[in-house]
């Protein structure tokens, strides 16, 4: 009895684990089935056009992916772009979060800075590339700048909204305990704004990743955008599409990563829908 | 009508509160409101929704300033929130990123209530308060993992941990189901210390719209009228303490409840049709 019960429980746990994997696998197959239709349509159109420069067949693209992966070229450029994205996101967050906190907390700061932000925000990062080429030349600095610029605004606006949206009652509760203003900011406002901040970070990652190709297409000697441009000049469309696919996959993985971070840092926000 | 026993702890003298809205006529939430609360008294304010009960409580808490008159604690003007007056909010206002222990100990850790307390003394007081409300075993749970009744217990423990002289409670039981509510009424009186002498009890101002709850808890009931919020009547509740289920069943309890209902029935009716 004494040994039987834990063993049975362990078996249950394994069974639950297997079930979960099966359900995951089933979801994956449903996903594949949906994608299959996409690939079939693509294959038909490719066969119809029969011009491998305009539109190569899915098989040619898969072959290119396999070959580029085997050469590690795919991962080399992906790693560089990913590192640039992480770097630019860190710079962007370091600039945008403190500014957002200040703008959200102080009406005066908000009113002074807001007009500048609102004028700059609609200008796409791409519009700055010619000017940035003069200033930074070709190298790491240009894509870093463009990607930081792209990620900055979503993070800033999300931080401001998060700070302004903090439940008034939580601040009141802290005030009635006699807690000083500064401690309220660090111990109530910031943690309460953290879930919106994580959403802002997600949007920032998406924006800065979208800018990667444009920034590297012209301004960098390496990275996914550069590789796309390089193989375009060689008219190697399967390779071009392999890198484009990599951009999509890596962007999706980045989003999953930020969501995992959000679950880790703000378990109360993703765990339950009902706010206490 | 409404006799004061003992020294005066809280005093609202001719208090008025107007909310000015740009481009519209100002709303008078509270008008010429005068009320004294004795040390150790359990005072309950009842009135239909929108009668300005919460505004009165916010002014006592120091979260709102009166537009007219004065609000004092021990003769000193209340100008801002302070740890001497603890507040329990209707929607709990627990910190969702803190577990039960973190919520209860929040004021001790970051506020003046814990100043001069060693960390082990602080931890002991937090644990005592958690035990007091019957939440031992749930110390590491987060608010979203708790039921409404348990959240309210956490809020009560958080309030008690700071050892305020005055407890201000804004419809703390309103969101609970009827059974949980009765249980927490009993618990509240136990924790308040209804067996103790009045001088060693804390002063409580409790807001509710439930008349039976008011009669069960209160030493005195203040009845408010709507728009503008005014004091309509002050009613002594001479029911013996400690109170329990027998109190709820007594004829005296029923009669008092009926009397208060007769005072606010017309108001409450009008509030449902306008």
């Amino acid at each position: 009895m004494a040994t039987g019960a834990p063993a049975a429980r362990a078996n249950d746990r394994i069974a639950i684990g297997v079930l979960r994997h099966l359900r995951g696998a089933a979801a994956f197959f449903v996903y594949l089935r949906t994608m299959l239709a996409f690939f079939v349509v693509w294959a038909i159109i490719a066969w119809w056009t029969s011009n491998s420069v305009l539109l190569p067949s899915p098989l040619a693209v898969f072959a290119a992916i396999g070959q580029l992966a085997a050469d590690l070229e795919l991962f080399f450029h992906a790693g560089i772009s990913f590192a640039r994205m992480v770097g630019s996101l860190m710079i962007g967050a370091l600039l945008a979060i403190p500014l957002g906190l200040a703008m959200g907390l102080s009406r005066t700061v908000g009113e002074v800075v807001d007009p500048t932000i609102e004028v700059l925000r609609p200008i796409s990062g791409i519009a700055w590339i010619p000017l940035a080429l003069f200033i930074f030349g070709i190298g790491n600095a240009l894509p870093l700048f463009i990607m930081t610029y792209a990620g900055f605004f979503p993070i800033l606006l999300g931080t401001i909204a998060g700070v302004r949206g903090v439940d008034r009652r939580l601040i009141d509760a802290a005030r009635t305990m006699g807690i000083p203003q500064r401690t309220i900011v660090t111990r109530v406002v910031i943690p309460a704004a953290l879930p919106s901040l994580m959403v802002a970070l997600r949007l920032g990652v998406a924006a800065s990743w979208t800018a990667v190709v444009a920034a590297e297409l012209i301004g960098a000697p390496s990275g996914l955008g550069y590789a796309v441009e390089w193989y375009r000049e060689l008219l190697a469309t399967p390779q071009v599409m392999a890198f484009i696919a990599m951009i999509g996959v890596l962007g999706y993985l980045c989003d999953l990563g930020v969501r995992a971070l959000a679950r880790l840092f703000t378990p109360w926000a993703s765990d339950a829908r009902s706010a206490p | 009508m409404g006799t004061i026993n003992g020294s005066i702890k809280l005093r609202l003298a001719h208090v008025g509160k107007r909310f000015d809205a740009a481009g519209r006529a100002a709303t008078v939430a509270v008008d010429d409101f005068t009320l004294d609360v004795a040390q150790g008294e359990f005072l309950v304010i009842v009135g239909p929704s929108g009668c300005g009960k919460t505004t009165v409580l916010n002014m006592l808490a120091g979260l709102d300033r009166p537009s007219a008159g004065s609000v004092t604690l021990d003769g000193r003007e209340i100008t801002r929130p302070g740890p001497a007056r603890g507040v329990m909010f209707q929607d709990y206002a627990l910190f969702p990123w803190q577990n039960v222990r973190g919520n209860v100990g929040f004021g001790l850790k970051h506020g003046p209530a814990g100043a001069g307390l060693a960390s082990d003394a602080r931890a002991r007081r937090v644990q005592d308060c958690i035990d007091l409300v019957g939440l031992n075993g749930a110390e590491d749970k987060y608010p979203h993992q708790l039921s409404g009744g348990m959240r309210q217990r956490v809020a009560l423990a958080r309030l008690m941990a700071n050892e305020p002289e005055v407890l201000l409670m804004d419809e703390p039981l309103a969101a609970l189901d009827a059974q949980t509510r009765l249980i927490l009424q009993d618990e509240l009186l136990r924790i308040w210390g209804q067996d103790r002498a009045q001088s060693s009890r804390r002063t409580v101002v409790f807001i509710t719209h439930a008349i039976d709850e008011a009669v069960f808890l209160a030493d005195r009931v203040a009845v408010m009228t709507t728009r503008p919020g005014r004091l309509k009547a002050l009613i002594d509740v001479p029911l013996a303490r400690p109170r329990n289920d027998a109190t709820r069943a007594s004829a005296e309890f029923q009669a008092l409840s009926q009397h208060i209902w007769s005072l606010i029935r017309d108001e409450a009716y009008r509030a449902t049709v306008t």
Side-chain angles (χ1 to χ4, degrees):
Chain A
M1 271 303 272
T3 51
R9 220 172 295 142
N11 278 338
D12 281 356
R13 213 172 301 140
I14 291 167
I16 289 167
V18 168
L19 265 178
R20 198 170 293 156
H21 276 293
L22 281 178
R23 206 174 301 152
F28 182 70
F29 280 120
V30 169
Y31 183 74
L32 266 193
R33 200 175 57 195
T34 320
M35 290 301 284
L36 196 66
F38 170 77
F39 287 121
V40 167
V41 171
W42 173 8
I44 291 171
I45 299 174
W47 171 76
W48 192 268
T49 40
S50 59
N51 182 336
S52 70
V53 173
L54 276 185
L55 185 65
S57 75
L59 288 176
V61 173
F62 283 130
I65 290 175
Q67 171 249 317
L68 288 170
D71 293 351
L72 299 180
E73 197 181 332
L74 195 63
F75 304 114
F76 169 74
H77 289 295
I80 285 176
S81 290
F82 179 73
R84 281 185 188 137
M85 197 270 286
V86 171
S88 66
L89 200 72
M90 283 188 338
I91 301 169
L94 230 56
L95 295 170
I97 292 174
L99 183 62
L101 286 175
M103 288 175 72
L105 289 169
S106 156
R107 186 177 289 269
T108 321
V109 175
E111 279 169 2
V112 168
V113 183
D114 194 59
T116 316
I117 297 296
E118 287 308 313
V119 167
L120 285 177
R121 196 164 63 96
I123 305 172
S124 151
I126 299 164
W128 295 105
I129 290 181
L131 187 62
L133 265 174
F134 288 145
I135 300 171
F136 300 115
I138 289 173
N140 273 323
L142 187 135
L144 268 178
F145 167 75
I146 301 298
M147 290 162 79
T148 302
Y149 179 90
F152 175 83
F153 294 101
I155 300 177
L156 179 75
L157 297 182
T159 308
I160 297 172
V163 170
R164 294 202 178 143
V166 171
D167 185 356
R168 185 73 222 163
R169 289 276 160 168
L170 297 180
I171 296 170
D172 281 348
R175 286 174 69 207
T176 59
M177 294 178 205
I179 291 170
Q181 194 72 42
R182 189 184 301 185
T183 316
I184 290 181
V185 171
T186 56
R187 299 292 174 162
V188 180
V189 174
I190 292 178
L194 208 54
S196 340
L197 230 151
M198 296 309 295
V199 175
L201 219 54
R202 237 183 112 189
L203 296 174
V205 166
S208 111
W209 190 245
T210 314
V212 71
V213 185
E216 288 175 346
L217 214 58
I218 302 169
S222 56
L224 291 171
Y226 165 82
V228 167
E229 174 62 9
W230 171 265
Y231 282 106
R232 184 196 68 80
E233 282 173 12
L234 298 177
L235 299 182
T237 315
Q239 277 73 12
V240 167
M241 292 188 73
F243 280 104
I244 289 176
M246 193 64 189
I247 292 169
V249 169
L250 205 53
Y252 176 65
L253 290 179
C254 286
D255 191 57
L256 282 187
V258 182
R259 272 153 72 182
L261 278 183
R263 266 196 303 279
L264 188 69
F265 288 130
T266 59
W268 68 91
S270 41
D271 238 48
R273 291 296 100 204
S274 64
Chain B
M1 148 176 169
T3 43
I4 273 269
N5 291 309
S7 61
I8 290 162
K9 188 76 182 167
L10 290 167
R11 168 164 274 173
L12 293 131
H14 305 290
V15 168
K17 179 68 187 176
R18 277 190 356 210
F19 290 104
D20 297 310
R24 269 182 292 145
T27 319
V28 180
V30 177
D31 185 44
D32 196 26
F33 192 94
T34 297
L35 177 67
D36 289 340
V37 186
Q39 160 64 41
E41 180 178 19
F42 202 122
L43 182 112
V44 177
I45 302 176
V46 287
S49 35
C51 74
K53 301 178 296 240
T54 298
T55 310
V56 170
L57 200 90
N58 281 346
M59 288 190 284
L60 286 170
L63 293 168
D64 255 340
R65 294 296 316 276
S67 324
S70 72
V71 186
T72 55
L73 169 75
D74 291 325
R76 277 194 304 277
E77 191 82 21
I78 294 170
T79 56
R80 58 198 167 106
R85 287 154 288 130
V87 181
M88 198 158 153
F89 296 93
Q90 183 179 351
D91 47 7
Y92 319 116
L94 299 176
F95 303 116
W97 57 91
Q98 293 275 3
N99 60 16
V100 169
R101 196 180 279 118
N103 265 291
V104 174
F106 196 84
L108 293 180
K109 192 169 174 197
H110 302 298
L117 272 183
S119 68
D120 57 331
R122 230 185 273 158
R124 212 173 314 123
R125 201 201 281 180
V126 168
Q127 191 58 52
D128 286 348
C129 289
I130 291 173
D131 293 345
L132 184 71
V133 299
L135 277 179
N136 37 334
E139 287 90 344
D140 296 321
K141 290 219 162 86
Y142 285 82
H144 70 259
Q145 298 169 316
L146 303 174
S147 68
M150 285 170 91
R151 286 183 203 167
Q152 200 55 70
R153 284 172 189 266
V154 178
L156 187 57
R158 182 175 71 176
L159 182 64
M160 302 304 286
N162 298 314
E163 301 194 334
E165 298 165 33
V166 176
L167 310 179
L168 304 172
M169 302 186 171
D170 185 4
E171 304 211 30
L173 310 181
L176 303 175
D177 64 80
Q179 286 146 31
T180 312
R181 204 170 164 147
L182 290 185
I183 288 163
L184 280 174
Q185 287 170 8
D186 292 338
E187 290 278 282
L188 194 59
L189 288 183
R190 174 181 67 78
I191 288 158
W192 173 59
Q194 63 169 342
D195 325 307
R196 275 181 273 155
Q198 185 173 344
S199 56
S200 64
R201 289 176 194 153
R202 291 174 208 281
T203 309
V204 181
V205 176
F206 185 104
I207 284 177
T208 182
H209 60 258
I211 292 165
D212 54 342
E213 184 168 285
V215 174
F216 182 73
L217 296 171
D219 290 319
R220 280 188 308 157
V221 176
V223 182
M224 280 185 79
T225 61
T226 323
R227 270 178 239 130
R230 286 205 183 96
L231 186 62
K232 179 163 190 166
L234 263 172
I235 290 148
D236 281 320
V237 181
L239 301 170
R241 291 191 192 273
R243 294 177 189 169
N244 46 39
D245 283 337
T247 313
R248 290 195 182 94
S250 71
E252 219 182 341
F253 178 88
Q254 301 295 338
L256 272 166
S257 301
Q258 273 304 317
H259 175 54
I260 293 170
W261 174 232
S262 72
L263 286 173
I264 59 174
R265 182 173 42 212
D266 294 348
E267 289 269 351
Y269 177 75
R270 245 177 287 141
T272 62
V273 292
T274 51

